[in-house]
Short mmCIF file of all heavy atoms in Angstrom, two decimals:
data_model
loop_
_atom_site.label_atom_id
_atom_site.label_comp_id
_atom_site.label_asym_id
_atom_site.label_seq_id
_atom_site.Cartn_x
_atom_site.Cartn_y
_atom_site.Cartn_z
N GLN Q 202 -16.58 -39.14 72.01
CA GLN Q 202 -16.63 -38.19 73.12
C GLN Q 202 -16.12 -38.80 74.42
O GLN Q 202 -15.63 -38.08 75.29
CB GLN Q 202 -18.06 -37.69 73.32
CG GLN Q 202 -18.51 -36.68 72.29
CD GLN Q 202 -19.93 -36.22 72.52
OE1 GLN Q 202 -20.79 -36.99 72.94
NE2 GLN Q 202 -20.20 -34.96 72.26
N GLN Q 203 -16.24 -40.10 74.56
CA GLN Q 203 -15.84 -40.76 75.80
C GLN Q 203 -14.34 -41.03 75.87
O GLN Q 203 -13.86 -41.56 76.87
CB GLN Q 203 -16.61 -42.07 75.95
CG GLN Q 203 -18.10 -41.88 76.19
CD GLN Q 203 -18.88 -43.17 76.08
OE1 GLN Q 203 -18.32 -44.22 75.77
NE2 GLN Q 203 -20.19 -43.11 76.31
N GLY Q 204 -13.60 -40.69 74.81
CA GLY Q 204 -12.16 -40.89 74.84
C GLY Q 204 -11.47 -39.98 75.85
O GLY Q 204 -11.94 -38.87 76.15
N GLU Q 205 -10.36 -40.45 76.38
CA GLU Q 205 -9.66 -39.68 77.41
C GLU Q 205 -9.01 -38.43 76.84
O GLU Q 205 -8.94 -37.39 77.50
CB GLU Q 205 -8.60 -40.56 78.09
CG GLU Q 205 -9.20 -41.75 78.85
CD GLU Q 205 -8.13 -42.58 79.52
OE1 GLU Q 205 -6.93 -42.25 79.34
OE2 GLU Q 205 -8.48 -43.56 80.20
N THR Q 206 -8.49 -38.50 75.61
CA THR Q 206 -7.83 -37.36 75.00
C THR Q 206 -8.43 -37.12 73.61
O THR Q 206 -8.95 -38.03 72.98
CB THR Q 206 -6.32 -37.59 74.86
OG1 THR Q 206 -6.09 -38.82 74.13
CG2 THR Q 206 -5.67 -37.70 76.24
N ARG Q 207 -8.32 -35.86 73.15
CA ARG Q 207 -8.85 -35.50 71.85
C ARG Q 207 -7.82 -34.70 71.07
O ARG Q 207 -6.98 -33.99 71.65
CB ARG Q 207 -10.15 -34.68 71.99
CG ARG Q 207 -11.29 -35.39 72.67
CD ARG Q 207 -12.53 -34.51 72.67
NE ARG Q 207 -13.61 -35.07 73.48
CZ ARG Q 207 -14.79 -34.48 73.65
NH1 ARG Q 207 -15.02 -33.31 73.07
NH2 ARG Q 207 -15.71 -35.05 74.41
N ARG Q 208 -7.91 -34.79 69.76
CA ARG Q 208 -7.10 -33.97 68.87
C ARG Q 208 -7.80 -32.64 68.61
O ARG Q 208 -9.00 -32.48 68.87
CB ARG Q 208 -6.88 -34.70 67.54
CG ARG Q 208 -6.08 -36.00 67.67
CD ARG Q 208 -4.61 -35.71 67.89
NE ARG Q 208 -3.84 -36.95 67.92
CZ ARG Q 208 -3.28 -37.49 66.83
NH1 ARG Q 208 -3.44 -36.92 65.64
NH2 ARG Q 208 -2.58 -38.60 66.93
N ARG Q 209 -7.05 -31.69 68.07
CA ARG Q 209 -7.64 -30.41 67.71
C ARG Q 209 -8.68 -30.64 66.62
O ARG Q 209 -8.40 -31.24 65.58
CB ARG Q 209 -6.56 -29.45 67.21
CG ARG Q 209 -7.07 -28.04 66.90
CD ARG Q 209 -5.90 -27.14 66.56
NE ARG Q 209 -5.21 -27.62 65.37
CZ ARG Q 209 -5.55 -27.30 64.11
NH1 ARG Q 209 -6.59 -26.51 63.90
NH2 ARG Q 209 -4.86 -27.77 63.09
N PRO Q 210 -9.92 -30.16 66.82
CA PRO Q 210 -10.99 -30.49 65.86
C PRO Q 210 -10.82 -29.77 64.53
O PRO Q 210 -10.36 -28.62 64.47
CB PRO Q 210 -12.26 -30.03 66.58
CG PRO Q 210 -11.79 -28.94 67.48
CD PRO Q 210 -10.41 -29.33 67.93
N LEU Q 211 -11.19 -30.46 63.47
CA LEU Q 211 -11.23 -29.86 62.14
C LEU Q 211 -12.56 -29.14 61.99
O LEU Q 211 -13.63 -29.70 62.21
CB LEU Q 211 -11.11 -30.95 61.07
CG LEU Q 211 -9.77 -31.71 61.03
CD1 LEU Q 211 -9.85 -32.84 60.00
CD2 LEU Q 211 -8.63 -30.77 60.69
N LYS Q 212 -12.50 -27.86 61.59
CA LYS Q 212 -13.72 -27.08 61.42
C LYS Q 212 -14.15 -27.00 59.96
O LYS Q 212 -15.33 -26.87 59.66
CB LYS Q 212 -13.53 -25.67 62.00
CG LYS Q 212 -13.27 -25.68 63.51
CD LYS Q 212 -13.18 -24.28 64.07
CE LYS Q 212 -12.95 -24.32 65.58
NZ LYS Q 212 -12.87 -22.95 66.15
N LYS Q 213 -13.19 -27.05 59.08
CA LYS Q 213 -13.48 -27.04 57.65
C LYS Q 213 -12.56 -28.04 56.98
O LYS Q 213 -11.33 -27.94 57.09
CB LYS Q 213 -13.27 -25.65 57.05
CG LYS Q 213 -14.27 -24.61 57.55
CD LYS Q 213 -14.03 -23.27 56.86
CE LYS Q 213 -15.04 -22.23 57.35
NZ LYS Q 213 -14.84 -20.91 56.69
N PHE Q 214 -13.13 -29.00 56.30
CA PHE Q 214 -12.34 -30.03 55.64
C PHE Q 214 -13.12 -30.50 54.42
O PHE Q 214 -14.13 -31.19 54.53
CB PHE Q 214 -12.07 -31.20 56.59
CG PHE Q 214 -11.15 -32.24 56.02
CD1 PHE Q 214 -9.93 -31.88 55.48
CD2 PHE Q 214 -11.51 -33.58 56.03
CE1 PHE Q 214 -9.07 -32.84 54.96
CE2 PHE Q 214 -10.67 -34.54 55.50
CZ PHE Q 214 -9.45 -34.17 54.97
N THR Q 215 -12.66 -30.07 53.24
CA THR Q 215 -13.40 -30.35 52.01
C THR Q 215 -13.40 -31.83 51.67
O THR Q 215 -14.31 -32.32 51.00
CB THR Q 215 -12.80 -29.56 50.84
OG1 THR Q 215 -11.39 -29.88 50.74
CG2 THR Q 215 -12.94 -28.05 51.08
N GLY Q 216 -12.40 -32.58 52.13
CA GLY Q 216 -12.33 -33.99 51.79
C GLY Q 216 -13.03 -34.89 52.78
O GLY Q 216 -12.82 -36.12 52.76
N PHE Q 217 -13.86 -34.31 53.67
CA PHE Q 217 -14.52 -35.11 54.70
C PHE Q 217 -15.68 -35.90 54.10
O PHE Q 217 -16.54 -35.35 53.39
CB PHE Q 217 -15.04 -34.20 55.81
CG PHE Q 217 -15.90 -34.90 56.83
CD1 PHE Q 217 -15.33 -35.77 57.75
CD2 PHE Q 217 -17.27 -34.70 56.85
CE1 PHE Q 217 -16.12 -36.41 58.68
CE2 PHE Q 217 -18.06 -35.34 57.78
CZ PHE Q 217 -17.47 -36.19 58.71
N HIS Q 218 -15.71 -37.20 54.40
CA HIS Q 218 -16.81 -38.06 54.00
C HIS Q 218 -17.35 -38.73 55.26
O HIS Q 218 -16.60 -39.39 56.00
CB HIS Q 218 -16.37 -39.10 52.98
CG HIS Q 218 -15.89 -38.50 51.70
ND1 HIS Q 218 -16.73 -37.95 50.76
CD2 HIS Q 218 -14.63 -38.35 51.20
CE1 HIS Q 218 -16.03 -37.49 49.73
NE2 HIS Q 218 -14.75 -37.71 49.98
N LEU Q 219 -18.64 -38.58 55.49
CA LEU Q 219 -19.24 -38.99 56.76
C LEU Q 219 -19.17 -40.49 56.98
O LEU Q 219 -18.65 -40.95 58.01
CB LEU Q 219 -20.70 -38.52 56.81
CG LEU Q 219 -21.51 -39.01 58.01
CD1 LEU Q 219 -21.03 -38.30 59.27
CD2 LEU Q 219 -23.00 -38.77 57.79
N GLN Q 220 -19.66 -41.27 56.06
CA GLN Q 220 -19.85 -42.70 56.29
C GLN Q 220 -18.55 -43.44 56.60
O GLN Q 220 -18.52 -44.27 57.51
CB GLN Q 220 -20.57 -43.34 55.10
CG GLN Q 220 -21.19 -44.69 55.42
CD GLN Q 220 -22.18 -44.61 56.58
OE1 GLN Q 220 -23.01 -43.70 56.64
NE2 GLN Q 220 -22.06 -45.54 57.51
N PRO Q 221 -17.45 -43.21 55.86
CA PRO Q 221 -16.21 -43.91 56.21
C PRO Q 221 -15.73 -43.63 57.63
O PRO Q 221 -15.23 -44.53 58.31
CB PRO Q 221 -15.21 -43.40 55.16
CG PRO Q 221 -16.05 -42.98 54.01
CD PRO Q 221 -17.30 -42.43 54.61
N VAL Q 222 -15.89 -42.37 58.09
CA VAL Q 222 -15.47 -42.03 59.45
C VAL Q 222 -16.34 -42.75 60.47
O VAL Q 222 -15.85 -43.30 61.47
CB VAL Q 222 -15.52 -40.50 59.66
CG1 VAL Q 222 -15.21 -40.15 61.12
CG2 VAL Q 222 -14.53 -39.82 58.73
N VAL Q 223 -17.67 -42.76 60.25
CA VAL Q 223 -18.58 -43.44 61.17
C VAL Q 223 -18.27 -44.93 61.20
O VAL Q 223 -18.20 -45.55 62.28
CB VAL Q 223 -20.04 -43.19 60.76
CG1 VAL Q 223 -20.99 -44.05 61.59
CG2 VAL Q 223 -20.39 -41.72 60.93
N ASP Q 224 -18.08 -45.54 60.03
CA ASP Q 224 -17.80 -46.97 59.97
C ASP Q 224 -16.50 -47.31 60.70
O ASP Q 224 -16.43 -48.31 61.44
CB ASP Q 224 -17.72 -47.44 58.52
CG ASP Q 224 -19.07 -47.38 57.83
OD1 ASP Q 224 -20.09 -47.33 58.54
OD2 ASP Q 224 -19.09 -47.37 56.58
N GLU Q 225 -15.47 -46.48 60.50
CA GLU Q 225 -14.19 -46.77 61.16
C GLU Q 225 -14.30 -46.61 62.67
O GLU Q 225 -13.73 -47.40 63.43
CB GLU Q 225 -13.11 -45.85 60.61
CG GLU Q 225 -11.72 -46.18 61.15
CD GLU Q 225 -10.64 -45.37 60.47
OE1 GLU Q 225 -10.95 -44.55 59.59
OE2 GLU Q 225 -9.46 -45.57 60.84
N ALA Q 226 -15.03 -45.58 63.12
CA ALA Q 226 -15.19 -45.37 64.57
C ALA Q 226 -15.91 -46.56 65.20
O ALA Q 226 -15.52 -47.05 66.27
CB ALA Q 226 -15.97 -44.08 64.83
N LEU Q 227 -16.95 -47.06 64.54
CA LEU Q 227 -17.68 -48.21 65.07
C LEU Q 227 -16.84 -49.48 65.03
O LEU Q 227 -16.93 -50.32 65.93
CB LEU Q 227 -18.98 -48.41 64.30
CG LEU Q 227 -20.01 -47.28 64.40
CD1 LEU Q 227 -21.25 -47.62 63.60
CD2 LEU Q 227 -20.36 -46.99 65.85
N GLU Q 228 -16.01 -49.60 63.99
CA GLU Q 228 -15.13 -50.77 63.92
C GLU Q 228 -14.09 -50.74 65.04
O GLU Q 228 -13.81 -51.77 65.68
CB GLU Q 228 -14.44 -50.81 62.56
CG GLU Q 228 -13.53 -52.02 62.38
CD GLU Q 228 -12.82 -52.02 61.03
OE1 GLU Q 228 -13.08 -51.12 60.21
OE2 GLU Q 228 -11.99 -52.92 60.81
N VAL Q 229 -13.52 -49.56 65.28
CA VAL Q 229 -12.56 -49.41 66.39
C VAL Q 229 -13.24 -49.71 67.72
O VAL Q 229 -12.67 -50.37 68.60
CB VAL Q 229 -11.96 -47.99 66.39
CG1 VAL Q 229 -11.14 -47.75 67.66
CG2 VAL Q 229 -11.08 -47.79 65.16
N GLN Q 230 -14.48 -49.25 67.88
CA GLN Q 230 -15.22 -49.52 69.12
C GLN Q 230 -15.41 -51.01 69.34
O GLN Q 230 -15.20 -51.52 70.45
CB GLN Q 230 -16.56 -48.81 69.08
CG GLN Q 230 -17.38 -48.98 70.35
CD GLN Q 230 -18.75 -48.35 70.23
OE1 GLN Q 230 -19.36 -48.36 69.16
NE2 GLN Q 230 -19.26 -47.80 71.33
N GLN Q 231 -15.79 -51.73 68.27
CA GLN Q 231 -16.01 -53.16 68.40
C GLN Q 231 -14.72 -53.90 68.69
O GLN Q 231 -14.67 -54.82 69.52
CB GLN Q 231 -16.66 -53.70 67.12
CG GLN Q 231 -17.07 -55.16 67.20
CD GLN Q 231 -18.09 -55.41 68.31
OE1 GLN Q 231 -19.05 -54.65 68.45
NE2 GLN Q 231 -17.87 -56.45 69.10
N GLN Q 232 -13.65 -53.51 68.02
CA GLN Q 232 -12.35 -54.15 68.27
C GLN Q 232 -11.88 -53.89 69.70
O GLN Q 232 -11.32 -54.79 70.35
CB GLN Q 232 -11.31 -53.65 67.27
CG GLN Q 232 -11.56 -54.10 65.85
CD GLN Q 232 -10.51 -53.57 64.88
OE1 GLN Q 232 -9.59 -52.86 65.28
NE2 GLN Q 232 -10.67 -53.88 63.60
N LEU Q 233 -12.10 -52.68 70.19
CA LEU Q 233 -11.72 -52.37 71.57
C LEU Q 233 -12.50 -53.25 72.55
O LEU Q 233 -11.93 -53.77 73.53
CB LEU Q 233 -11.99 -50.90 71.88
CG LEU Q 233 -10.92 -49.89 71.45
CD1 LEU Q 233 -11.40 -48.47 71.68
CD2 LEU Q 233 -9.62 -50.13 72.20
N ARG Q 234 -13.77 -53.42 72.29
CA ARG Q 234 -14.57 -54.27 73.19
C ARG Q 234 -14.05 -55.70 73.18
O ARG Q 234 -13.92 -56.34 74.23
CB ARG Q 234 -16.03 -54.23 72.75
CG ARG Q 234 -16.75 -52.92 73.05
CD ARG Q 234 -18.16 -52.94 72.50
NE ARG Q 234 -18.88 -51.71 72.82
CZ ARG Q 234 -20.10 -51.41 72.35
NH1 ARG Q 234 -20.72 -52.28 71.55
NH2 ARG Q 234 -20.69 -50.29 72.69
N ASN Q 235 -13.78 -56.21 71.98
CA ASN Q 235 -13.29 -57.60 71.89
C ASN Q 235 -11.96 -57.77 72.60
O ASN Q 235 -11.75 -58.73 73.35
CB ASN Q 235 -13.17 -58.01 70.42
CG ASN Q 235 -14.51 -58.07 69.72
OD1 ASN Q 235 -15.55 -58.22 70.36
ND2 ASN Q 235 -14.51 -57.95 68.40
N LEU Q 236 -11.04 -56.84 72.36
CA LEU Q 236 -9.72 -56.95 72.98
C LEU Q 236 -9.80 -56.75 74.49
O LEU Q 236 -9.06 -57.39 75.25
CB LEU Q 236 -8.75 -55.94 72.36
CG LEU Q 236 -8.34 -56.20 70.91
CD1 LEU Q 236 -7.39 -55.12 70.42
CD2 LEU Q 236 -7.68 -57.58 70.78
N GLU Q 237 -10.66 -55.86 74.95
CA GLU Q 237 -10.81 -55.67 76.39
C GLU Q 237 -11.39 -56.91 77.05
O GLU Q 237 -11.00 -57.27 78.17
CB GLU Q 237 -11.70 -54.45 76.66
CG GLU Q 237 -11.02 -53.13 76.36
CD GLU Q 237 -11.97 -51.95 76.45
OE1 GLU Q 237 -13.20 -52.20 76.56
OE2 GLU Q 237 -11.50 -50.80 76.41
N ASP Q 238 -12.33 -57.58 76.36
CA ASP Q 238 -12.86 -58.84 76.89
C ASP Q 238 -11.76 -59.89 76.96
O ASP Q 238 -11.66 -60.63 77.96
CB ASP Q 238 -14.00 -59.34 76.02
CG ASP Q 238 -15.24 -58.46 76.12
OD1 ASP Q 238 -15.34 -57.71 77.11
OD2 ASP Q 238 -16.09 -58.52 75.21
N GLN Q 239 -10.92 -59.97 75.91
CA GLN Q 239 -9.82 -60.93 75.93
C GLN Q 239 -8.82 -60.59 77.04
O GLN Q 239 -8.32 -61.49 77.73
CB GLN Q 239 -9.11 -60.93 74.57
CG GLN Q 239 -9.98 -61.42 73.42
CD GLN Q 239 -9.26 -61.37 72.09
OE1 GLN Q 239 -8.03 -61.54 72.02
NE2 GLN Q 239 -10.00 -61.10 71.02
N ARG Q 240 -8.53 -59.32 77.21
CA ARG Q 240 -7.60 -58.91 78.27
C ARG Q 240 -8.15 -59.29 79.64
O ARG Q 240 -7.41 -59.80 80.50
CB ARG Q 240 -7.36 -57.41 78.20
CG ARG Q 240 -6.39 -56.89 79.24
CD ARG Q 240 -6.39 -55.38 79.28
NE ARG Q 240 -7.72 -54.86 79.59
CZ ARG Q 240 -8.03 -53.57 79.57
NH1 ARG Q 240 -7.12 -52.67 79.21
NH2 ARG Q 240 -9.25 -53.17 79.87
N ASP Q 241 -9.43 -59.02 79.86
CA ASP Q 241 -10.03 -59.37 81.15
C ASP Q 241 -9.96 -60.88 81.39
O ASP Q 241 -9.70 -61.33 82.53
CB ASP Q 241 -11.49 -58.90 81.20
CG ASP Q 241 -11.60 -57.38 81.17
OD1 ASP Q 241 -10.60 -56.71 81.46
OD2 ASP Q 241 -12.69 -56.88 80.83
N ASP Q 242 -10.19 -61.67 80.33
CA ASP Q 242 -10.12 -63.12 80.47
C ASP Q 242 -8.70 -63.58 80.80
O ASP Q 242 -8.51 -64.43 81.68
CB ASP Q 242 -10.60 -63.78 79.17
CG ASP Q 242 -10.55 -65.29 79.25
OD1 ASP Q 242 -11.32 -65.88 80.02
OD2 ASP Q 242 -9.71 -65.90 78.54
N VAL Q 243 -7.71 -63.00 80.12
CA VAL Q 243 -6.31 -63.36 80.39
C VAL Q 243 -5.92 -62.97 81.81
O VAL Q 243 -5.25 -63.73 82.53
CB VAL Q 243 -5.38 -62.71 79.35
CG1 VAL Q 243 -3.92 -62.86 79.77
CG2 VAL Q 243 -5.60 -63.33 77.98
N GLN Q 244 -6.33 -61.77 82.24
CA GLN Q 244 -5.99 -61.34 83.59
C GLN Q 244 -6.65 -62.23 84.63
O GLN Q 244 -6.04 -62.54 85.68
CB GLN Q 244 -6.42 -59.88 83.78
CG GLN Q 244 -5.57 -58.89 83.00
CD GLN Q 244 -6.07 -57.47 83.14
OE1 GLN Q 244 -7.24 -57.22 83.46
NE2 GLN Q 244 -5.19 -56.51 82.91
N ALA Q 245 -7.89 -62.64 84.38
CA ALA Q 245 -8.55 -63.55 85.31
C ALA Q 245 -7.83 -64.89 85.38
O ALA Q 245 -7.65 -65.48 86.46
CB ALA Q 245 -10.01 -63.74 84.90
N ARG Q 246 -7.40 -65.40 84.22
CA ARG Q 246 -6.66 -66.66 84.21
C ARG Q 246 -5.32 -66.52 84.93
O ARG Q 246 -4.87 -67.44 85.62
CB ARG Q 246 -6.45 -67.14 82.78
CG ARG Q 246 -7.73 -67.62 82.09
CD ARG Q 246 -7.46 -68.09 80.68
NE ARG Q 246 -8.67 -68.59 80.05
CZ ARG Q 246 -9.11 -69.83 80.16
NH1 ARG Q 246 -8.41 -70.72 80.87
NH2 ARG Q 246 -10.22 -70.22 79.56
N MET Q 247 -4.66 -65.39 84.77
CA MET Q 247 -3.38 -65.17 85.45
C MET Q 247 -3.57 -65.13 86.96
O MET Q 247 -2.74 -65.65 87.71
CB MET Q 247 -2.75 -63.86 84.96
CG MET Q 247 -2.26 -63.91 83.52
SD MET Q 247 -1.57 -62.34 82.96
CE MET Q 247 -0.16 -62.18 84.04
N ARG Q 248 -4.67 -64.51 87.40
CA ARG Q 248 -4.93 -64.48 88.84
C ARG Q 248 -5.20 -65.88 89.39
O ARG Q 248 -4.77 -66.22 90.50
CB ARG Q 248 -6.12 -63.56 89.14
CG ARG Q 248 -5.81 -62.08 89.00
CD ARG Q 248 -6.92 -61.24 89.60
NE ARG Q 248 -8.18 -61.40 88.88
CZ ARG Q 248 -8.56 -60.66 87.84
NH1 ARG Q 248 -7.75 -59.70 87.40
NH2 ARG Q 248 -9.72 -60.86 87.25
N ARG Q 249 -5.91 -66.70 88.60
CA ARG Q 249 -6.17 -68.07 89.04
C ARG Q 249 -4.91 -68.93 88.98
O ARG Q 249 -4.72 -69.84 89.80
CB ARG Q 249 -7.27 -68.70 88.19
CG ARG Q 249 -8.64 -68.05 88.39
CD ARG Q 249 -9.75 -68.97 87.89
NE ARG Q 249 -9.60 -69.27 86.47
CZ ARG Q 249 -10.18 -68.59 85.49
NH1 ARG Q 249 -10.92 -67.54 85.78
NH2 ARG Q 249 -10.00 -68.96 84.22
N MET Q 250 -4.03 -68.66 88.00
CA MET Q 250 -2.84 -69.48 87.80
C MET Q 250 -1.70 -69.11 88.77
O MET Q 250 -0.89 -69.97 89.15
CB MET Q 250 -2.35 -69.32 86.36
CG MET Q 250 -1.04 -70.02 86.03
SD MET Q 250 -1.19 -71.82 86.07
CE MET Q 250 -2.07 -72.08 84.53
N SER Q 251 -1.63 -67.85 89.19
CA SER Q 251 -0.47 -67.37 89.94
C SER Q 251 -0.17 -68.15 91.22
O SER Q 251 1.01 -68.33 91.57
CB SER Q 251 -0.65 -65.88 90.26
OG SER Q 251 -1.84 -65.66 91.00
N PRO Q 252 -1.16 -68.66 91.98
CA PRO Q 252 -0.79 -69.40 93.20
C PRO Q 252 0.01 -70.66 92.93
O PRO Q 252 0.75 -71.13 93.81
CB PRO Q 252 -2.16 -69.75 93.82
CG PRO Q 252 -3.10 -68.72 93.30
CD PRO Q 252 -2.62 -68.44 91.92
N TRP Q 253 -0.09 -71.24 91.72
CA TRP Q 253 0.67 -72.45 91.41
C TRP Q 253 2.07 -72.14 90.86
O TRP Q 253 2.86 -73.05 90.63
CB TRP Q 253 -0.09 -73.29 90.39
CG TRP Q 253 -1.21 -74.09 91.00
CD1 TRP Q 253 -1.13 -75.34 91.51
CD2 TRP Q 253 -2.56 -73.68 91.17
NE1 TRP Q 253 -2.35 -75.75 91.99
CE2 TRP Q 253 -3.27 -74.74 91.80
CE3 TRP Q 253 -3.28 -72.53 90.87
CZ2 TRP Q 253 -4.61 -74.69 92.12
CZ3 TRP Q 253 -4.62 -72.46 91.18
CH2 TRP Q 253 -5.27 -73.52 91.81
N GLY Q 254 2.37 -70.86 90.60
CA GLY Q 254 3.70 -70.50 90.15
C GLY Q 254 3.86 -70.62 88.65
O GLY Q 254 2.95 -70.99 87.92
N GLY Q 255 5.07 -70.29 88.16
CA GLY Q 255 5.35 -70.32 86.75
C GLY Q 255 6.04 -71.61 86.32
O GLY Q 255 7.09 -71.97 86.85
N PHE Q 256 5.48 -72.30 85.36
CA PHE Q 256 6.07 -73.53 84.83
C PHE Q 256 5.46 -73.79 83.46
O PHE Q 256 4.45 -73.18 83.09
CB PHE Q 256 5.83 -74.73 85.77
CG PHE Q 256 4.39 -74.88 86.17
CD1 PHE Q 256 3.49 -75.55 85.36
CD2 PHE Q 256 3.94 -74.36 87.37
CE1 PHE Q 256 2.17 -75.68 85.73
CE2 PHE Q 256 2.62 -74.48 87.74
CZ PHE Q 256 1.73 -75.15 86.92
N GLN Q 257 6.07 -74.69 82.73
CA GLN Q 257 5.59 -75.05 81.40
C GLN Q 257 4.77 -76.33 81.47
O GLN Q 257 5.12 -77.27 82.18
CB GLN Q 257 6.77 -75.25 80.44
CG GLN Q 257 7.57 -73.98 80.16
CD GLN Q 257 6.77 -72.93 79.39
OE1 GLN Q 257 5.87 -73.28 78.63
NE2 GLN Q 257 7.10 -71.67 79.62
N PHE Q 258 3.68 -76.37 80.73
CA PHE Q 258 2.87 -77.58 80.66
C PHE Q 258 3.58 -78.62 79.79
O PHE Q 258 4.26 -78.29 78.81
CB PHE Q 258 1.50 -77.27 80.02
CG PHE Q 258 0.57 -76.55 80.95
CD1 PHE Q 258 0.46 -75.17 80.91
CD2 PHE Q 258 -0.20 -77.25 81.87
CE1 PHE Q 258 -0.39 -74.50 81.76
CE2 PHE Q 258 -1.06 -76.59 82.71
CZ PHE Q 258 -1.16 -75.21 82.67
#
Side-chain angles (χ1 to χ4, degrees):
Q202 284 180 324
Q203 292 170 357
E205 296 181 357
T206 55
R207 298 183 187 179
R208 296 285 184 91
R209 185 174 62 87
L211 295 174
K212 297 184 179 181
K213 293 182 179 181
F214 186 51
T215 56
F217 172 72
H218 298 286
L219 174 71
Q220 198 57 45
V222 174
V223 172
D224 292 341
E225 186 173 0
L227 296 181
E228 182 182 356
V229 171
Q230 182 184 35
Q231 186 60 45
Q232 291 180 1
L233 277 174
R234 288 176 178 174
N235 294 338
L236 291 180
E237 287 173 350
D238 291 341
Q239 295 178 32
R240 181 190 60 186
D241 294 342
D242 179 67
V243 169
Q244 289 176 338
R246 289 181 178 273
M247 291 178 64
R248 287 192 295 270
R249 293 198 300 267
M250 175 68 75
S251 58
W253 281 271
F256 51 84
Q257 294 293 331
F258 285 95

